[in-house]
Amino acid sequence: MEKSEIVQSAKSIEKQAITEFSNAPSSRDLYDLKVKYLGKQGALSMLMRELGKLGAGDRPAVGQMFNEVKNRLEDAYARRETELKTQEVNAAIEREKLDLTLPGPKIASGAAHPISLVISQIVEILGRIGYSVRQGPLIESDRHNFTALNIPEDHPSRDLQDTFYIDDRHVLRTHTSPVQVRTMENEKPPLRILAPGSVFRCDSDASHSPNFHQIEGLLIDQKVSMADLRGTISYFVDEFFGPGLKKRFRPSFFPFTEPSAEVDCSCPICRGKGCRMCKQSGWIEIGGSGLVNPKVIQACGLNPDEWQGFAFGFGVERMAIIKYAVDDIRLFSENDLRFLEQFQ
Ligand code: PHE
């Protein structure tokens, strides 16, 4: 190549490179262009090889020209690089910008099941007057569930239709009263205990579930009367449902209490006027109660001349139904979130 041709080529490479640099859409593309024009195998380097073929007199000036072209291209590259990098950083900032005013994702929080809620409220209310919680097994011996509670062999509640038998000496407990027996057998009176938990009976419809919950109360002391029982239950009903509900003790029968009374309170939904919840009677039954039968005290190894007591057993689902106006007992075991979320 002639000197003039080399100079001409260098100029056109410079011109083309500068155009392409300024059109490069990204710093990545720009870098590729740097390799294309300024790299070891790049257009400028290839042309510089022609330098060796020139006469010694021409070389310094042409070499000088190459240096200048190279410097200008490097400047152009650096300027465009700064420009593109700035654009790219700004775009990234824009893209990653956090709008702190946007509502956050909804965090689903759990809540206590209404049955647990009712149990913990009862435990708290009666805890204030000295009651503490005891537990017993769900699979009970025939003795704890029936015999020690003065339920004779031929009593209807032993009927196969009501009781789930595990074998001929074990049942799924049909009530929480066996915890009375276990506590009297193992602890020294005076006693004030609560036993909440699952119980089982062969029964299933809108108001009966084969697995439901009771909370048992037992007080053992000296000189205990029906008045003590009434006072305790009245206190409890007022605290749990709010004051102003009437309470009614209806004579009843349980083998393990004597005398026995069914506890009713005036329907908290209609306040006694009559509604669907109370089947128009104005009263809702919450459970059984009575003075502990001396035969039970004796069967548990205590002297009935020294110790008396009262006991009560309330249905937890019933209390929840009344308190939260729930119309089907099955809702408590179906785990439908639309139902459960209302108790958050
Ligand atoms: N255990 C009885 C029932 O399941 C309720 C009860 C408990 C009655 C304590 C009197 C005393 O129906």
Side-chain angles (χ1 to χ4, degrees), residues 175 177 180 201 214 216 254 256-257 288-289 311-313:
H175 52 179
S177 300
Q180 287 189 35
R201 289 180 202 175
Q214 288 188 330
E216 192 84 9
F254 298 101
F256 35 93
T257 46
S289 68
F312 54 87

Side-chain angles (χ1 to χ4, degrees), residues 62-75:
V62 178
Q64 167 87 21
M65 183 273 309
F66 269 119
N67 275 339
E68 284 166 13
V69 171
K70 211 172 158 192
N71 286 342
R72 281 196 297 274
L73 284 186
E74 269 163 6
D75 283 352

